[in-house]
Amino acid sequence: MDRWALFIDIEGFAKIYPADFIRAMVPLRALMESIYYVGGRVCPETPERLFAHQIGDGFMIVSEFAQRSPRLPVAIGVFLLQRVLLAGGIAKCSISQGSFGSVSGCYPDVIRESEDECGCIRLGGGLMTIFPVMGTALINAYRLAGREHGSLLIVDSALDTSLLPAGISVTKQSDEYYIVDWLHAASPELDEIHTRTGIPNSCMAELEVRAAGYILANQEDLPREWKENTQSYNRFQADGYEGC
């Protein structure tokens, strides 16, 4: 059974973290909190439950069941990207599909026998933590994120674009994937996420200013392709916000 998988991570985290711990952690906190609210308030029960797994400065979110429509995962991706941006960071998101499940039964007996209820294994006075789930959903979503540079929302073409609502704009399409303008997106699913989480809808003008401000503030550190893609596929120009 192919389930959709959403991978999101914070751009530039490895550079920001050593220089400014607080600046790095604020958007990560916002991302983590937002996933908690989406899972707990928007998709709390079967068949829409979500399963989220932290991977460094990012998260892999997997659906409970297969869904051909991209409407829900795209709305979640837009919501999370906007929340990170409003917290002072910027992120990248990719959505694909595939198999996903526990592989802990394949682990050595000594590991399975030593694992406690929190998923930790004692190493004498130390600890080993394991990541007991795996599958092509994780691999496909992670690989898709590497297809383009920039703060983008990249979606596997297997998730049918014809099912997207009118307020979701596709700004690039290939046989393998398409890119969604997450800065200006609108949909009933996104509205529902804001309503049920209690987090007000983001003002598109403010989002543009925040995105432009991020690019201008990090002008020297960002690769040219990254800046061009972020602006082109999300339909804004950073040089239109001098002094923001």
Side-chain angles (χ1 to χ4, degrees), residues 48-78:
E48 292 189 334
R49 291 185 302 168
L50 302 178
F51 299 88
H53 308 275
Q54 185 178 8
I55 305 173
D57 60 308
F59 280 84
M60 183 68 69
I61 305 172
V62 185
S63 65
E64 182 177 8
F65 293 108
Q67 295 180 18
R68 177 168 163 261
S69 172
R71 294 177 70 113
L72 178 60
V74 165
I76 293 172
V78 168

Side-chain angles (χ1 to χ4, degrees), residues 1 3 27 31 46-47 59 63 68 73-74 83 102 123 126 165 173 178 193 195 227 232 238:
M1 177 186 69
R3 299 147 70 180
L31 175 59
T46 191
F59 280 84
S63 65
R68 177 168 163 261
V74 165
R83 291 286 294 157
S102 174
L123 301 177
Q173 189 157 11
Y178 54 93
I193 289 173
T195 298
K227 291 183 285 188
S232 173

Side-chain angles (χ1 to χ4, degrees), residues 36-48:
Y36 176 83
Y37 285 144
V38 170
R41 299 178 182 178
V42 183
C43 303
E45 303 293 341
T46 191
E48 292 189 334

